[in-house]
Amino acid sequence: MMQRVAILGSTGSIGANTLDVIARHPDRFEVTVLSAGSRVEPLLAQVARFKPRFAVMADAAAADSLAERVAAEGLPTRVLSGDAALDDLVAGERVDTVMAAIVGAAGLSSCLAAARAGKRLLLANKEALVVGGDVFLQAVQEGGARLLPIDSEHSAIFQSLPEDPASWPHRVDRIILTASGGPFRERDPQSLRDVTPEQACAHPNWVMGRKISVDSATMMNKALEVIEARYLFGLPPDRLDVVIHPQSVIHSMVQYRDHSVVAQLGTPDMRVPIAYGLAWPERIPSGAAALDFSQLAAMSFESLDSKGHRERFPGLQLAWDALRAPSGTTAVLNAANEEAVAAFLDRRIRFDHIHRVNVETLDAVVPSKPQALADLLALDASARRTARDRIARLH
């Protein structure tokens, strides 16, 4: 059957890669909804090519501008704006599959709507689990949604696990997420205070957006991935590990009780996990290059306890700390980090201040157990206010 796909955050790197994969399989996938924040020109180009039924923009003024352009070009797409419109569309009967790629907590509402409606939910938005936690998992369970991870690490773990999720806690010894180490893997930790946004965004292996590139440079992306793995795969925090693997060939591993290890390998191209999520349980051509083993002179691994990595990437430990803290603490960490990264990219704080803002916000905001979306959004807003206060003092 033709899958009708909604791509949330279609103008970002994940959205663009998803459209690239879909374009290779016009007999299998139909784009019915595209969404973006405020970038009119890229979304207009996508609308012109894929002609979805609907395009949604978070910014109302941008939606008005897009609607004028769509009408002028005689395109059949209807343009809407706002979270409520997007939530209604992803939960509606015109959508089978949702690619959730809106960056940050802004994507939580639409993820919850898709989960409650029982959609095939391709999760590229870490924050749905990092912020949503048990609230999000409950929505998935109650709605009967099929949750498929798109992050390269979590897709690799999913591909390496047994088919029966009920067996995971008993058959699996530990999950090992790999990390490239980003652009500062060998940099003197004392010099990180002088890092510029341009340097932090220059990832050696992956082409990503600015926010996630900074998260990779601090390894906060790996902290968020540890939290996400906890909720996705049900293992306790002490059975989740991280190892630095600079070549980004092995995307993650599963160690079983007999100490055998199953790993997923591939080129660092997000079209691979995207194609797997779209076609699961089948596999389809993704457009990514095949891994050429003759060009792999060596693959290396580094413990977090070696080469000063704990000092270089202090934010990584916050994942385990937050998972052991009261429910909702991971949402506080995410909100603080989003505010701190934005301030760094705006050159209002130093690179090493990102971790300081995160720690001080965690110390100041103690959550009560959130029960619903409104609780999560209130907690997110409180953490952001606290983080902005810390940023203002540093600035």
Side-chain angles (χ1 to χ4, degrees), residues 61-127:
D64 290 341
S65 176
L66 178 66
E68 291 178 6
R69 300 283 298 278
V70 166
E73 297 190 18
L75 297 170
T77 301
R78 182 182 175 190
V79 179
L80 304 172
S81 67
D83 293 342
L86 188 59
D87 292 356
D88 288 343
L89 287 173
V90 300
E93 62 182 13
R94 292 185 177 92
V95 170
D96 305 310
T97 298
V98 177
M99 169 58 79
I102 296 174
V103 175
L108 181 57
S109 179
S110 54
C111 281
L112 282 167
R116 292 192 185 103
K119 303 298 181 179
R120 184 189 187 99
L121 182 52
L122 312 185
L123 195 63
N125 177 329
K126 294 181 179 66
E127 291 77 14

Side-chain angles (χ1 to χ4, degrees), residues 33-53:
V33 179
L34 294 174
S35 87
S38 59
R39 301 175 64 200
V40 173
E41 291 296 334
L43 186 55
L44 178 64
Q46 293 175 347
V47 167
R49 181 178 180 188
F50 292 93
K51 297 178 176 58
R53 289 175 177 263

Side-chain angles (χ1 to χ4, degrees), residues 162-223:
E163 291 185 3
D164 178 18
S167 72
W168 295 349
H170 312 293
R171 296 175 64 183
V172 173
D173 183 40
R174 59 204 319 104
I175 284 172
I176 305 166
L177 293 105
T178 57
S180 69
F184 306 136
R185 180 177 62 87
E186 297 182 326
R187 182 159 175 156
D188 179 359
Q190 301 304 316
S191 71
L192 291 176
R193 59 175 288 145
D194 302 320
V195 163
T196 67
E198 291 75 19
Q199 292 170 328
C201 290
H203 196 283
N205 298 342
W206 298 90
V207 177
M208 304 180 292
R210 281 161 59 81
K211 194 269 181 183
I212 193 172
S213 293
V214 174
D215 282 347
S216 181
T218 62
M219 277 189 67
M220 182 52 65
N221 72 319
K222 208 56 52 179

Side-chain angles (χ1 to χ4, degrees), residues 1-4 25-30 96:
M1 292 179 60
M2 181 76 74
Q3 275 192 58
R4 298 167 298 177
H25 303 277
D27 58 324
R28 296 187 61 127
F29 307 108
E30 175 190 358
D96 305 310

